[in-house]
């Protein structure tokens, strides 16, 4: 049988209350007693019950992280940053990949609630806030990554998507491109809308009216990006440049161009968004809009822990700056 708190108290020769104080880091206990009780816990291989702790209104030192797709290197890197930061604070992280499925997302939110997590970091691409409101009603702190939900009073850490889109459009305009297509994940999300808006504003600044027919929703994967880019490249007047709203879609666009015998970047320039590891290993190396991925994960965890500990009252909206990273997938229009 697993040792209980009663076994620890008996073996250490102290009261159950003393053991409880050691576990929760509360009360006035001498360093000698605290070390003695901790040593006994290790000897007995005692593990405190986080669920029991939660039922008594105490922290479980566990947070949830919901992601749309763990196979996307951007979200994998975010997860690593969140987990590393959580470890520094003494929090465990339960990672849930929703695969962009709203029903699966709700299932995971329900699971995290049942697990009595202390807080949730949400990096899914949903704009539906019904279940988020339920979490807030249960006083579960929430931090949003890579998107925005203005209707909810939650902490947000994001990149300036409009600026990133503007940087991409300006770069391509500066290279002489005029037929610039945009390959989006989902125009229903704030991040994609802002990236498109920024790119189109850069195009307008050059005296060119953006063509709505040159905006295509490509989904979230390389294969979906390749299919969507193929539709653009098969147009009667195809684009000379494509701005993709993530690196996976950009790689799909490169594959679509290659299948059509096009030379890159001589015949087609491609810009991605995220600056994941994939951007450096694709041929040609991908010009992309870099996000400070590690900083996004760390800042989200910082805000969540502050909220859990009651160290802040006002909600915060942190907007980090993107950076154009020029590589070999873009070139002047011939």
């Amino acid at each position: 049988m697993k040792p209980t708190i009663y076994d620890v108290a008996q073996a250490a020769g102290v009261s159950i209350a003393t053991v409880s104080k050691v576990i929760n880091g509360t009360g006035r206990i001498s360093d000698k007693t605290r070390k003695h009780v901790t040593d006994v816990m290790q000897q007995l291989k005692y593990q405190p019950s986080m669920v029991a702790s939660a039922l008594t209104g105490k922290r479980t030192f566990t947070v949830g992280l919901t992601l749309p797709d763990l196979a996307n290197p951007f979200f994998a890197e975010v997860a690593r940053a969140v987990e590393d930061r959580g470890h520094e604070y003494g929090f465990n992280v339960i990672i849930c990949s929703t695969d962009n499925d709203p029903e699966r997302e709700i299932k995971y939110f329900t699971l995290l609630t049942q697990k009595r997590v202390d807080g949730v970091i949400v990096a899914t691409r949903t704009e539906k806030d019904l279940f988020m409101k339920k979490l807030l009603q249960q006083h579960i702190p929430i931090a949003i990554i890579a998107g925005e939900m203005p209707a909810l009073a939650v902490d947000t850490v994001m990149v300036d998507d409009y600026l990133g889109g503007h940087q991409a459009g300006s770069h391509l305009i500066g290279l002489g491109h005029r037929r610039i297509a945009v390959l989006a994940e989902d125009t229903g999300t704030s991040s994609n809308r802002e990236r498109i808006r920024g790119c189109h504003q850069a195009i307008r600044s050059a005296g060119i009216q953006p063509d709505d027919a040159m905006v295509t929703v490509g989904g979230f994967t390389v294969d979906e990006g390749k299919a969507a880019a193929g539709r653009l490249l098969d147009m009667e007047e195809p684009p000379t440049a494509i701005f993709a709203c993530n690196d996976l879609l950009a790689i799909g666009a490169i594959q679509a161009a290659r299948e059509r015998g096009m030379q890159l970047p001589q015949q087609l320039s491609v810009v991605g968004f995220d600056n994941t590891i994939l951007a450096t290993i694709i041929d040609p190396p991908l010009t992309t809009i870099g996000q400070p991925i590690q900083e996004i994960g760390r800042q989200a965890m910082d805000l969540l822990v502050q909220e859990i500990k009651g160290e802040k009252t006002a909600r915060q909206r942190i907007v980090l700056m993107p950076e154009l990273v020029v590589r070999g997938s873009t070139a002047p229009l011939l």
Side-chain angles (χ1 to χ4, degrees):
M1 294 180 61
K2 293 182 179 180
T4 67
I5 191 172
Y6 304 100
D7 297 325
V8 174
Q10 184 176 16
V14 298
S15 67
I16 294 173
T18 298
V19 177
S20 178
K21 290 176 182 178
V22 170
I23 293 171
N24 295 295
T26 59
R28 295 182 179 180
I29 304 174
S30 69
D31 292 340
K32 181 179 179 181
T33 299
R34 189 178 300 277
K35 183 179 184 306
H36 174 58
V37 173
T38 300
D39 288 343
V40 171
M41 289 169 59
Q42 292 176 347
Q43 291 169 9
L44 296 179
K45 297 181 179 180
Y46 170 73
Q47 293 292 330
S49 170
M50 292 295 100
V51 174
S53 179
L55 290 172
T56 59
K58 299 170 184 175
R59 297 178 196 149
T60 62
F61 291 94
T62 304
V63 300
L65 171 62
T66 65
L67 303 167
D69 183 9
L70 198 54
N72 184 326
F74 170 78
F75 292 109
E77 291 182 40
V78 165
R80 178 61 183 270
V82 168
E83 194 171 39
D84 286 348
R85 196 63 152 190
H87 179 73
E88 294 177 18
Y89 284 117
F91 280 79
N92 296 310
V93 180
I94 300 174
I95 299 175
C96 305
S97 181
T98 67
D99 199 26
N100 295 295
D101 182 349
E103 292 186 5
R104 192 170 177 178
E105 180 183 75
I106 292 175
K107 176 183 176 182
Y108 277 130
F109 278 138
T110 302
L111 172 66
L112 293 173
T113 303
Q114 293 172 345
K115 293 291 185 182
R116 305 272 182 164
V117 295
D118 295 324
V120 180
I121 296 176
V122 179
T124 48
R125 296 301 177 92
T126 181
E127 297 271 314
K128 299 177 182 178
D129 58 8
L130 179 61
F131 207 84
M132 308 278 267
K133 288 179 179 178
K134 291 183 180 180
L135 292 178
L136 292 174
Q137 289 170 357
Q138 297 179 53
H139 305 290
I140 298 176
I142 298 173
I144 304 291
I145 281 180
E148 226 173 350
M149 293 188 178
L152 298 179
V154 295
D155 293 320
T156 303
V157 182
M158 58 187 295
V159 73
D160 189 329
D161 292 298
Y162 172 84
L163 177 58
H166 196 279
Q167 289 173 339
S170 296
H171 174 63
L172 293 171
I173 287 290
L175 293 173
H177 294 278
R178 295 298 179 264
R179 289 191 59 77
I180 301 171
V182 179
L183 196 53
E185 300 169 341
D186 179 2
T187 55
T189 61
S190 61
S191 58
N192 275 250
R193 289 195 301 267
E194 287 299 291
R195 292 172 192 183
I196 295 170
R197 190 170 73 88
C199 182
H200 280 179
Q201 184 54 49
I203 295 173
R204 289 191 186 93
S205 297
I208 305 166
Q209 184 60 33
D211 185 352
D212 289 340
M214 301 283 276
V215 177
T216 299
V217 175
F220 302 91
T221 68
V222 171
D223 286 343
E224 290 173 320
K226 182 170 70 172
R231 295 193 293 271
L232 292 169
L233 296 176
D234 291 338
M235 294 173 66
E236 186 174 341
E237 294 185 66
T240 63
I242 294 177
F243 165 48
C245 287
N246 74 33
D247 287 349
L248 294 180
L249 296 183
I251 291 171
I254 289 174
Q255 291 182 351
R258 284 252 168 78
E259 286 186 358
R260 287 159 177 77
M262 300 177 69
Q263 298 295 315
L264 283 89
Q266 294 86 348
Q267 293 178 283
L268 180 72
S269 285
V270 178
V271 178
F273 203 110
D274 289 338
N275 195 30
T276 60
I277 185 64
L278 294 180
T280 63
I281 61 178
I282 188 69
D283 182 28
L286 182 64
T287 294
T288 186
I289 304 300
Q291 296 200 60
I293 302 176
Q294 296 292 320
E295 189 64 18
I296 289 173
R298 287 193 294 265
Q299 293 257 21
M301 194 68 191
D302 288 345
L303 291 178
L304 192 69
V305 171
Q306 290 170 23
E307 179 76 11
I308 290 170
K309 292 183 176 180
E311 297 175 352
K312 56 188 286 295
T313 53
R315 299 294 186 262
Q316 294 189 36
R317 178 177 181 269
I318 298 176
V319 181
L320 303 174
M321 293 299 101
E323 178 184 7
L324 173 67
V325 181
V326 179
R327 296 193 180 96
S329 66
T330 54
L333 180 65
L334 297 177

